[in-house]
Amino acid sequence: MGKLRFRSRLTLNLIWLIGISMLGAGLLMVTLFERSHIEELKQNLLRELKVLVITDDWQHTGEEESLIAYYTERLHQLRESAGARLTYVRQDGVVLGDSEHDPWTMDNHLGREEIAKALQNGTGFVIRHSSTLKQNMLYAALLIQDDQTGAKIGVLRISMSLADVEAAVQKFWMYLIIGMFVLFIIVSYVSYRIARSITRPIEKMTRVAKQIAERNYHSRVAVSRHDEVGQLAEAINQMSDSLRTQMDRIYENEGRLNSILEHIRFGVIMVHQDGKIVLINPTAERLIGFTRDELLGQPFTSERYPLPFTKLIEVCIQRGEHVREEQVLHFPEERLVEINVTPIGADKDKVNGFLIVIHDITELRRLERMRSEFVANVSHELKTPIASVQGFSETLLSGALDDRETARSFIQIIYHESERLNRLVGDLLDLSKIESKRSPLQLSAVDLNQVIDNSLQMVDTVAENKKIKLVKKLSDPIYLEADEDRLQQILMNLLSNGINYTPEGGTVTISAELDDKHDQDEPGHVQIVVSDTGIGIPEEDLPRIFERFYRVDKARSRSSGGTGLGLSIVKHLVELHHGTIRVESEVGIGTQFTIILPIIQ
Ligand code: ADP
């Protein structure tokens, strides 16, 4: 639509111009033609008049009546040779003769323009519409003077119809119009072609420029000429090329920045200098509990979506420098965060906005707390046996050594405590090795039946002493990929716990079976269950029993020689094998530990 309008407007303008100039030229030609025609006619009439004046006698005398008769007669004769109407007017305006009309019916002709002009200047020409003949007439009048005195005698007038001239002019007009029309058509066609040759490439370029504006940077103008239009097309193509490279670079950078913001574990919020939030990443959304859609475009002071660190931003605005604070967030969940607000801008005086970085330090602080608690626990655990070793050896040194019986029992206690100390240090070293992953698993194909037998054998004596029945349930042979020693360590820990926390006469059962849900795609799992008929674990303690040094009953654990680290080591070892461990227990009935391990690591 637009291109049609564009092209036709140019063509129309051209055609208008051509039409108007052709019309002007035509009018000028016709006018000149008409004028020269009439001028020639005038000269002819004048010549004729001059001949008539010389060849005839215009000074006839006599009565007016006879004069009129004479001249009328004479002019009638002359009309034949002149081929035009002749009138003779005396110098006082009285018509003395006329080749066409009766002079008696004609009024005084002094008022006729051509007569007046002739009387004054010698000649007079006038074009007038004759009401009698109903056509335009050319009147030429010549003054007749006395040869000697030069006195004005009269005026001889000749008149001719302009019908012939007008017909000729009309014909001329007709040819001119036809000629001009044909010329007009040709010129219009040619100018249309010219206009099109100019506008077509411009239209193409406009289309491409629009596509570029719509981000289609692959659009190109076909360049086939080397003139200015071709150069323009070339320039548009180059512009599109450079735009594309630049946009690619921008998109690439934007993509990088976005993926950083999407995946970074810091919450990032950006506030524009007008106080509106312009950027927020997923971590920040999660930490403050509002979505991007809710916050973007909102002022940071919004009451609808209150930010927990509005005050801090205000402090930053006031001071004009970076501020940092640790804060507890209560919504959507309780979190300890470190908030950093930094003014951003070209320099200190020109602040464009604020960058808020939120760092969730809940876990960090929990780990720090755990570590210090662990150190305190370890010290405490070590202190107890050391204190009793120290106490008993002191008593021995201060005299008890002499009483052989007492000395023997004291030394027995010292031996027990040092053994405990040894176990504790052993477990601690083990745990730290496993946790720091310093000792990788020695994987091999393990015969589970064999491992269970070995473990049972190791705890056999203790069980027997406590009159506890050990039961093994294993139908088919099971092989799995595991670290044999570690696997045995797991089972031993669970079995000895079962024996420890089960009163005399109880039963500890170990069973294993293959997870029958496995198929070709999944290698399958083995499930090992260690259960006892012991004292059980209260429900509120269940979630914590895998923690280091956590015991339900401290005295009981200690008296049975426990370190409080066994289950913690078990859990770590199971996880190293990519397995899971869970516990079910009922106080007074028994406890059951279930381990699920993959057959192939
Ligand atoms: P401990 O060396 O004290 O046995 P563990 O880490 O092996 O330490 O176990 C932690 C605590 O879990 C124990 O102190 C005990 O209270 C409880 N517990 C573990 N196994 C059993 C079980 N089979 N029956 C009852 N309580 C158990």
Side-chain angles (χ1 to χ4, degrees), residues 203-222 233-244:
E203 281 161 18
K204 269 193 215 158
M205 285 185 268
T206 313
R207 210 180 317 127
V208 170
K210 272 187 188 152
Q211 282 172 350
I212 293 171
E214 284 161 10
R215 299 188 178 185
N216 176 6
Y217 304 115
H218 296 276
S219 193
R220 287 281 174 288
V221 188
E234 188 73 48
I236 286 180
N237 286 345
Q238 277 168 7
M239 183 183 76
S240 179
D241 270 341
S242 101
L243 262 176
R244 193 171 76 187

Side-chain angles (χ1 to χ4, degrees), residues 497-498 501 532 535-537 545 550-553 557 562-568 591 593:
N497 269 354
Y501 300 102
D532 60 57
I535 56 167
I537 304 164
I545 57 160
Y550 190 83
R551 293 138 162 152
V552 178
D553 181 344
S557 157
T563 58
L565 293 173
L567 285 184
S568 187
T591 308
F593 287 91

Side-chain angles (χ1 to χ4, degrees), residues 420 423 427 493-502 508 530-538 541-542 544-554 556-558 560-570 583 585 590-593:
R420 228 168 84 78
R423 251 198 327 273
D427 275 2
N493 262 307
L494 292 179
L495 286 171
S496 38
N497 269 354
I499 295 162
N500 269 343
Y501 300 102
T502 302
V508 174
V530 178
S531 60
D532 60 57
T533 57
I535 56 167
I537 304 164
D541 294 302
L542 278 179
R544 298 195 60 187
I545 57 160
F546 294 104
E547 283 177 22
R548 291 171 295 199
F549 298 119
Y550 190 83
R551 293 138 162 152
V552 178
D553 181 344
K554 275 203 166 53
R556 184 177 178 130
S557 157
R558 204 159 287 145
S560 66
T563 58
L565 293 173
L567 285 184
S568 187
I569 293 175
V570 166
V583 57
S585 183
T591 308
Q592 172 174 316
F593 287 91

Side-chain angles (χ1 to χ4, degrees), residues 428-475:
L428 275 173
L429 284 176
D430 223 12
L431 194 65
S432 109
K433 244 198 286 181
I434 298 167
E435 273 195 344
S436 63
K437 300 194 171 84
R438 256 182 292 136
S439 63
L441 297 180
Q442 306 288 324
L443 294 173
S444 62
V446 176
D447 178 358
L448 188 58
N449 192 30
Q450 187 65 51
V451 178
I452 290 176
D453 282 347
N454 289 348
S455 310
L456 284 172
Q457 211 182 342
M458 307 264 293
V459 295
D460 200 34
T461 336
V462 193
E464 214 164 277
N465 288 344
K466 261 190 100 179
K467 304 206 168 46
I468 284 172
K469 207 171 123 198
L470 293 176
V471 180
K472 180 180 95 166
K473 284 186 191 163
L474 188 82
S475 41

Side-chain angles (χ1 to χ4, degrees), residues 269-289:
I269 297 177
M270 205 184 256
V271 176
H272 191 248
Q273 75 202 79
D274 63 6
K276 291 209 173 115
I277 296 170
V278 290
L279 184 147
I280 170 162
N281 78 337
T283 310
E285 278 180 312
R286 208 172 47 244
L287 283 174
I288 60 174

Side-chain angles (χ1 to χ4, degrees), residues 69 84 87 105 149 164 217 240 251 266 284 308 321 389 404 436 470 474 486-487 498 500 577:
T87 313
T105 62
T149 62
D164 289 347
Y217 304 115
S240 179
Y251 285 143
F266 295 108
E321 59 181 29
V389 168
R404 271 190 79 85
S436 63
L470 293 176
L474 188 82
R486 294 308 197 181
L487 188 58
N500 269 343
H577 280 88

